[in-house]
Structures are given as C-alpha cells and as structure tokens.
Amino acid sequence: MFAVIKTGGKQYRVAANDVITVATLAGEPGAAVTFDQVLMVTNDGGTQVGAPLVEGVTVAGEVVEHTRGEKVISFKKRRRQNSRRKRGHRQDYTVVRITEIRA
C-alpha cells in the first residue's frame, strides 16, 4: 500500500516505514505529523485517484530530525570590472518517517 502526498509544494510517493526529506515542518523530533493532502492511494482493493484530493485519507508520520542540505554557491563575476559576488545558501529540511496510511 502506498500513497502520493503533497507537502511543501512537492509530491512524494510514500509507504509505511519510509523515511523522506521534506521542506521544514514545525515540531520537535519525535512529534507526530499528519499529511492531509493525499493525491492518490493504492491498496489491495485498487487505486483511488483524487480530483484533486482523496477524501477521508490521511498519512501519519513522525519527525526524525531537522537538518540542512548541502551548501550551494552562487558566484557572479563581471570580468574586467573588478566586480565579484559570492553567496552561499543551505536549505533547511525535516526528515520524516511515515508510520501509517489511514484510509
């Protein structure tokens, strides 16, 4: 059984006991989170596709940790004009373990 959820503007295919990395969510490590925006669900009885969401289905998860992604360097140089700009960025993420799909 798996589901497709939407969070942080992105879609994720999840099943029970999956560990996914999503955009930052509120909550301390160990806290429970619920994803209400379920776009599709597949189980033994078949597949349900929402228009746009599947009614009555939620996905439960647990916050594992808050982490940061790799550093991305943005470097701009205008040659022969003694102009340089270097900026770095690290995105904040939340690691979530999916506990169950409630249908």
PDB file of all heavy atoms in Angstrom, residues 10 19 22 24 28 33 43 50 59 63 68 72 78 100 102:
ATOM      1  N   LYS A  10       5.738  20.115  -3.200  1.00  0.00           N
ATOM      2  CA  LYS A  10       6.267  18.961  -3.931  1.00  0.00           C
ATOM      3  C   LYS A  10       5.417  17.738  -3.627  1.00  0.00           C
ATOM      4  O   LYS A  10       4.695  17.701  -2.637  1.00  0.00           O
ATOM      5  CB  LYS A  10       7.719  18.702  -3.546  1.00  0.00           C
ATOM      6  CG  LYS A  10       8.652  19.819  -3.932  1.00  0.00           C
ATOM      7  CD  LYS A  10      10.082  19.434  -3.659  1.00  0.00           C
ATOM      8  CE  LYS A  10      11.004  20.481  -4.215  1.00  0.00           C
ATOM      9  NZ  LYS A  10      11.424  21.448  -3.231  1.00  0.00           N
ATOM     10  N   VAL A  19      11.327   6.736   4.957  1.00  0.00           N
ATOM     11  CA  VAL A  19      11.934   7.930   5.532  1.00  0.00           C
ATOM     12  C   VAL A  19      12.139   8.912   4.386  1.00  0.00           C
ATOM     13  O   VAL A  19      12.825   8.601   3.415  1.00  0.00           O
ATOM     14  CB  VAL A  19      13.280   7.613   6.214  1.00  0.00           C
ATOM     15  CG1 VAL A  19      13.932   8.873   6.726  1.00  0.00           C
ATOM     16  CG2 VAL A  19      13.067   6.623   7.345  1.00  0.00           C
ATOM     17  N   VAL A  22      11.642  16.396   3.597  1.00  0.00           N
ATOM     18  CA  VAL A  22      10.704  17.388   3.080  1.00  0.00           C
ATOM     19  C   VAL A  22      11.120  18.779   3.537  1.00  0.00           C
ATOM     20  O   VAL A  22      12.015  18.933   4.372  1.00  0.00           O
ATOM     21  CB  VAL A  22       9.258  17.085   3.547  1.00  0.00           C
ATOM     22  CG1 VAL A  22       8.798  15.729   3.053  1.00  0.00           C
ATOM     23  CG2 VAL A  22       9.138  17.156   5.048  1.00  0.00           C
ATOM     24  N   THR A  24      10.934  22.256   5.589  1.00  0.00           N
ATOM     25  CA  THR A  24      10.844  22.378   7.037  1.00  0.00           C
ATOM     26  C   THR A  24       9.404  22.345   7.540  1.00  0.00           C
ATOM     27  O   THR A  24       8.540  23.058   7.038  1.00  0.00           O
ATOM     28  CB  THR A  24      11.504  23.684   7.490  1.00  0.00           C
ATOM     29  OG1 THR A  24      12.847  23.690   7.015  1.00  0.00           O
ATOM     30  CG2 THR A  24      11.510  23.802   8.998  1.00  0.00           C
ATOM     31  N   GLU A  28       9.071  19.223  17.151  1.00  0.00           N
ATOM     32  CA  GLU A  28      10.331  18.701  17.661  1.00  0.00           C
ATOM     33  C   GLU A  28      10.524  17.262  17.177  1.00  0.00           C
ATOM     34  O   GLU A  28       9.565  16.592  16.812  1.00  0.00           O
ATOM     35  CB  GLU A  28      10.303  18.731  19.194  1.00  0.00           C
ATOM     36  CG  GLU A  28      10.234  20.127  19.776  1.00  0.00           C
ATOM     37  CD  GLU A  28      11.458  20.951  19.427  1.00  0.00           C
ATOM     38  OE1 GLU A  28      12.578  20.417  19.499  1.00  0.00           O
ATOM     39  OE2 GLU A  28      11.283  22.136  19.078  1.00  0.00           O
ATOM     40  N   VAL A  33       3.228  14.088  12.909  1.00  0.00           N
ATOM     41  CA  VAL A  33       2.733  14.998  11.882  1.00  0.00           C
ATOM     42  C   VAL A  33       1.715  14.251  11.034  1.00  0.00           C
ATOM     43  O   VAL A  33       1.774  13.026  10.900  1.00  0.00           O
ATOM     44  CB  VAL A  33       3.864  15.549  10.985  1.00  0.00           C
ATOM     45  CG1 VAL A  33       4.793  16.439  11.753  1.00  0.00           C
ATOM     46  CG2 VAL A  33       4.628  14.435  10.314  1.00  0.00           C
ATOM     47  N   ASN A  43      -4.154   0.385  -2.663  1.00  0.00           N
ATOM     48  CA  ASN A  43      -4.201  -0.686  -1.676  1.00  0.00           C
ATOM     49  C   ASN A  43      -4.685  -1.953  -2.360  1.00  0.00           C
ATOM     50  O   ASN A  43      -4.747  -2.018  -3.584  1.00  0.00           O
ATOM     51  CB  ASN A  43      -5.077  -0.302  -0.479  1.00  0.00           C
ATOM     52  CG  ASN A  43      -6.461   0.142  -0.897  1.00  0.00           C
ATOM     53  OD1 ASN A  43      -6.904  -0.145  -1.998  1.00  0.00           O
ATOM     54  ND2 ASN A  43      -7.147   0.841  -0.021  1.00  0.00           N
ATOM     55  N   GLY A  50      -7.482  11.140  -6.536  1.00  0.00           N
ATOM     56  CA  GLY A  50      -8.285  12.278  -6.118  1.00  0.00           C
ATOM     57  C   GLY A  50      -8.463  13.286  -7.232  1.00  0.00           C
ATOM     58  O   GLY A  50      -7.734  13.303  -8.211  1.00  0.00           O
ATOM     59  N   VAL A  59      -2.140  10.613   5.939  1.00  0.00           N
ATOM     60  CA  VAL A  59      -0.887   9.892   6.131  1.00  0.00           C
ATOM     61  C   VAL A  59      -0.255  10.414   7.418  1.00  0.00           C
ATOM     62  O   VAL A  59      -0.096  11.621   7.588  1.00  0.00           O
ATOM     63  CB  VAL A  59       0.066  10.101   4.930  1.00  0.00           C
ATOM     64  CG1 VAL A  59       1.412   9.456   5.205  1.00  0.00           C
ATOM     65  CG2 VAL A  59      -0.553   9.527   3.662  1.00  0.00           C
ATOM     66  N   VAL A  63       8.406  13.048  13.109  1.00  0.00           N
ATOM     67  CA  VAL A  63       9.592  13.844  12.817  1.00  0.00           C
ATOM     68  C   VAL A  63      10.810  13.128  13.391  1.00  0.00           C
ATOM     69  O   VAL A  63      10.862  12.838  14.587  1.00  0.00           O
ATOM     70  CB  VAL A  63       9.467  15.262  13.411  1.00  0.00           C
ATOM     71  CG1 VAL A  63      10.753  16.039  13.197  1.00  0.00           C
ATOM     72  CG2 VAL A  63       8.288  15.996  12.797  1.00  0.00           C
ATOM     73  N   ARG A  68      19.987  20.278   7.501  1.00  0.00           N
ATOM     74  CA  ARG A  68      20.227  21.252   6.444  1.00  0.00           C
ATOM     75  C   ARG A  68      20.869  20.551   5.264  1.00  0.00           C
ATOM     76  O   ARG A  68      21.630  19.602   5.418  1.00  0.00           O
ATOM     77  CB  ARG A  68      21.143  22.368   6.950  1.00  0.00           C
ATOM     78  CG  ARG A  68      20.530  23.121   8.127  1.00  0.00           C
ATOM     79  CD  ARG A  68      21.428  24.201   8.618  1.00  0.00           C
ATOM     80  NE  ARG A  68      21.293  25.347   7.714  1.00  0.00           N
ATOM     81  CZ  ARG A  68      22.087  26.407   7.743  1.00  0.00           C
ATOM     82  NH1 ARG A  68      23.081  26.456   8.596  1.00  0.00           N
ATOM     83  NH2 ARG A  68      21.892  27.404   6.923  1.00  0.00           N
ATOM     84  N   VAL A  72      25.116  25.509  -1.389  1.00  0.00           N
ATOM     85  CA  VAL A  72      25.069  25.877  -2.796  1.00  0.00           C
ATOM     86  C   VAL A  72      25.731  27.240  -2.924  1.00  0.00           C
ATOM     87  O   VAL A  72      25.363  28.186  -2.222  1.00  0.00           O
ATOM     88  CB  VAL A  72      23.619  25.938  -3.310  1.00  0.00           C
ATOM     89  CG1 VAL A  72      23.581  26.366  -4.760  1.00  0.00           C
ATOM     90  CG2 VAL A  72      22.944  24.596  -3.134  1.00  0.00           C
ATOM     91  N   ARG A  78      31.795  39.932 -13.039  1.00  0.00           N
ATOM     92  CA  ARG A  78      31.773  40.758 -14.245  1.00  0.00           C
ATOM     93  C   ARG A  78      33.226  41.018 -14.614  1.00  0.00           C
ATOM     94  O   ARG A  78      33.926  41.738 -13.904  1.00  0.00           O
ATOM     95  CB  ARG A  78      31.024  42.053 -13.970  1.00  0.00           C
ATOM     96  CG  ARG A  78      29.563  41.815 -13.690  1.00  0.00           C
ATOM     97  CD  ARG A  78      28.861  43.086 -13.250  1.00  0.00           C
ATOM     98  NE  ARG A  78      27.543  42.768 -12.725  1.00  0.00           N
ATOM     99  CZ  ARG A  78      27.297  42.519 -11.449  1.00  0.00           C
ATOM    100  NH1 ARG A  78      28.263  42.521 -10.564  1.00  0.00           N
ATOM    101  NH2 ARG A  78      26.066  42.247 -11.062  1.00  0.00           N
ATOM    102  N   GLU A 100       2.018   5.343   9.108  1.00  0.00           N
ATOM    103  CA  GLU A 100       0.885   4.598   8.538  1.00  0.00           C
ATOM    104  C   GLU A 100       0.087   5.468   7.585  1.00  0.00           C
ATOM    105  O   GLU A 100       0.170   6.689   7.608  1.00  0.00           O
ATOM    106  CB  GLU A 100      -0.036   4.082   9.652  1.00  0.00           C
ATOM    107  CG  GLU A 100      -0.744   5.160  10.420  1.00  0.00           C
ATOM    108  CD  GLU A 100      -1.727   4.603  11.434  1.00  0.00           C
ATOM    109  OE1 GLU A 100      -2.299   3.522  11.177  1.00  0.00           O
ATOM    110  OE2 GLU A 100      -1.919   5.249  12.464  1.00  0.00           O
ATOM    111  N   ARG A 102      -3.740   6.120   6.742  1.00  0.00           N
ATOM    112  CA  ARG A 102      -5.083   5.896   7.299  1.00  0.00           C
ATOM    113  C   ARG A 102      -6.121   6.107   6.207  1.00  0.00           C
ATOM    114  O   ARG A 102      -6.327   7.214   5.742  1.00  0.00           O
ATOM    115  CB  ARG A 102      -5.341   6.885   8.431  1.00  0.00           C
ATOM    116  CG  ARG A 102      -4.388   6.755   9.581  1.00  0.00           C
ATOM    117  CD  ARG A 102      -4.730   7.721  10.674  1.00  0.00           C
ATOM    118  NE  ARG A 102      -3.712   7.696  11.713  1.00  0.00           N
ATOM    119  CZ  ARG A 102      -3.184   8.766  12.251  1.00  0.00           C
ATOM    120  NH1 ARG A 102      -3.561   9.971  11.870  1.00  0.00           N
ATOM    121  NH2 ARG A 102      -2.266   8.652  13.176  1.00  0.00           N
TER     122      ARG A 102
END
